[in-house]
Amino acid sequence: MSRAVGIELFFVDLATVFLIVLHNVTYSILYIILLACSVIFLMMYTNKKCLAQGRDISSQPAPNKKNMIVLIIVSIFILLTVGGSVALVVYGGSAPVYSISSTDRTFTIKSMYGKTLNLADIKSVDLKETLPGNLKRTNGYGGAGTVTKGYCSSDIGDVLVFVDSSISQYIYLTTTTEIIIFNNHDIVQTKALYDELVAAIAQ
């Protein structure tokens, strides 16, 4: 039984590594399905094959209904926990969506910790190639990759970030109440978003 569980956990760990690296929704759904199937298979396999030699199965009492209910509840709890963790990894690692509304005069960041700002509240917008020093998360998401979202402390004070540190271009947006740092999918799109913001604020 130890060998069977060890093999099961090895493949689960391997699948989890790809889950963290890929940040793919389709793979995440497949991961949950395969995990559920593998847990069910492991339970069936160990109950039928992992018995002590010479043990008389026919003399064993029938499974207790109460124990079966507890087992089902525990299995559902595990699957829900894993599913929630997967959703967190996928949603947290997904790229933010930025939109500027000339009608409402707002700038919206759709993401974990996202928000909508009035363009009138934006005091300045700067484009920089480095993040502030001593950037540390105080309440946010920081996956195994290069994505960081949420509230951080830094040398320039508390900031709200939506950044991929592998892209060396960052927009510093200062409002009347906070500093927000973010970037887009690549350097070109980050620069385009910066120019669009500057033009929208100037109107």
Side-chain angles (χ1 to χ4, degrees), residues 66-78:
K66 184 178 178 181
N67 291 340
M68 289 299 294
I69 292 173
V70 171
L71 182 61
I72 292 172
I73 292 174
V74 170
S75 300
I76 292 173
F77 175 77
I78 292 173

Side-chain angles (χ1 to χ4, degrees), residues 120-186:
D121 293 333
I122 299 176
K123 296 171 62 178
S124 65
V125 181
D126 300 294
L127 190 63
K128 300 184 180 182
E129 296 183 353
T130 59
L131 289 168
N134 294 320
L135 189 68
K136 297 178 181 178
R137 279 183 294 118
T138 55
N139 179 15
Y141 169 87
T146 55
V147 175
T148 302
K149 298 178 182 179
Y151 295 91
C152 300
S153 60
S154 71
D155 287 348
I156 61 174
D158 293 334
V159 295
L160 175 61
V161 303
F162 305 89
V163 299
D164 183 342
S165 59
S166 66
I167 302 170
S168 56
Q169 197 86 283
Y170 308 96
I171 299 172
Y172 282 60
L173 188 154
T174 304
T175 73
T176 53
T177 57
E178 62 186 337
I179 299 174
I180 304 174
I181 304 173
F182 53 96
N183 55 13
N184 217 334
H185 302 289
D186 53 41

Side-chain angles (χ1 to χ4, degrees), residues 15 21 26 30-31 65 95 97 99 101 116 125-126 162 188 190 193 202:
V21 172
T26 303
L30 181 63
Y31 174 86
K65 278 189 176 182
V97 177
S99 60
S101 173
T116 297
V125 181
D126 300 294
F162 305 89
V188 174
T190 300
L193 177 60

Side-chain angles (χ1 to χ4, degrees), residues 3-22:
R3 184 164 56 248
V5 173
I7 294 172
E8 160 82 4
L9 292 177
F10 170 77
F11 285 109
V12 169
D13 289 345
L14 187 62
T16 303
V17 170
F18 286 106
L19 174 71
I20 295 172
V21 172
L22 294 178

